Amino acid sequence: MELEDKIGYHFKNRDLLNTALTHSSYANERKAQHIPYNERLEFLGDAVLSIVVSDYIFKNCPELPEGELTKLRAALVCEKSLFEFAKQINLGSYLLLSKGERHNGGAERPSILSDAFEALIAAIYIDGGYDPAAAHILNFVVPAIKSSKKKKVKDYKTTLQEIIQKNPGERLEYVLVSESGPDHNKHFVFEVHLNSNVIGKGGGRSKKEAEQQAAREALELMGY
């Protein structure tokens, strides 16, 4: 099946995949056939998703305290994120929906797509175990984390300050190294010192910009 090629997982029990893609409206439309639908799988998928994401960010975001880990996990497992993940594999086109639900845009509805994405996780988990389910989840989650980190670190000075503050007694200082150019086109170079050791250097057309660039270099060198 095309969807299996997209997600890189091929089911031993294809019935699990079919159930994950079946919405309750489709089953209700065919009540006499007693077709299973994806709500129970969604329940399990939600739990698998949570443990996989928790495990990954706990191991790979050592700089984040418990409160920030909780916020990050919530952002990654919310309906909005799952909807975006589902769209990446065009999941809506594979769903079995009632005629009415499909006519009303059910294949593009965030709640339906996010639920189906969780059901698909559960189907993989039941069919193949934890590792393939985790691999499937992380295909979406890891790029999302990287993207969110890039968006977050806009104020490099504040970020650097917050990291250094975790170690009492450490002192940050920004030192002007050079200033050149005419008044209308100045160029400043700053170093950022940690306890008198240079940990970053940056330039810019204003002192503020140069300090930010110095902090950015320091963060990069520290692995952030």
Side-chain angles (χ1 to χ4, degrees), residues 104-122:
N104 290 326
E108 287 86 39
R109 190 169 298 141
S111 59
I112 288 177
L113 282 173
S114 60
D115 288 350
F117 190 83
E118 288 183 327
L120 181 58
I121 289 169

Side-chain angles (χ1 to χ4, degrees), residues 127-188:
D127 191 70
Y130 180 88
D131 288 345
H136 169 68
I137 291 165
L138 295 177
N139 280 339
F140 300 90
V141 165
V142 173
I145 291 172
K146 287 179 180 170
S147 170
S148 100
K149 277 187 174 178
K150 278 180 191 167
K151 284 177 193 166
K152 269 186 184 173
V153 183
K154 288 175 187 163
D155 184 352
Y156 301 110
K157 281 184 70 176
T158 301
T159 304
L160 181 60
Q161 186 68 39
E162 287 171 351
I163 291 166
I164 300 304
Q165 277 175 347
K166 291 175 187 171
N167 300 306
E170 303 281 332
R171 192 169 59 85
L172 272 183
E173 185 184 4
Y174 290 85
V175 178
L176 178 62
V177 177
S178 70
E179 180 180 333
S180 57
D183 287 345
H184 68 277
N185 191 23
K186 286 275 190 191
H187 184 77
F188 300 91

Side-chain angles (χ1 to χ4, degrees), residues 37-50:
Y37 51 93
N38 64 12
E39 285 180 6
R40 280 173 55 82
L41 286 176
E42 175 210 330
F43 163 78
L44 178 60
D46 178 67
V48 176
L49 174 67
S50 184

Side-chain angles (χ1 to χ4, degrees), residues 74-88 110-111 114 151:
L76 291 165
V77 304
C78 70
E79 181 181 289
K80 183 181 175 186
S81 292
L82 299 183
F83 175 52
E84 291 302 322
F85 300 160
K87 285 197 296 183
Q88 288 174 32
S111 59
S114 60
K151 284 177 193 166

Side-chain angles (χ1 to χ4, degrees), residues 187-206:
H187 184 77
F188 300 91
V189 176
F190 269 81
E191 289 177 345
V192 57
H193 294 193
L194 177 62
N195 302 332
S196 76
N197 296 311
V198 179
I199 59 169
K201 188 174 182 178
R205 295 183 64 176
S206 69

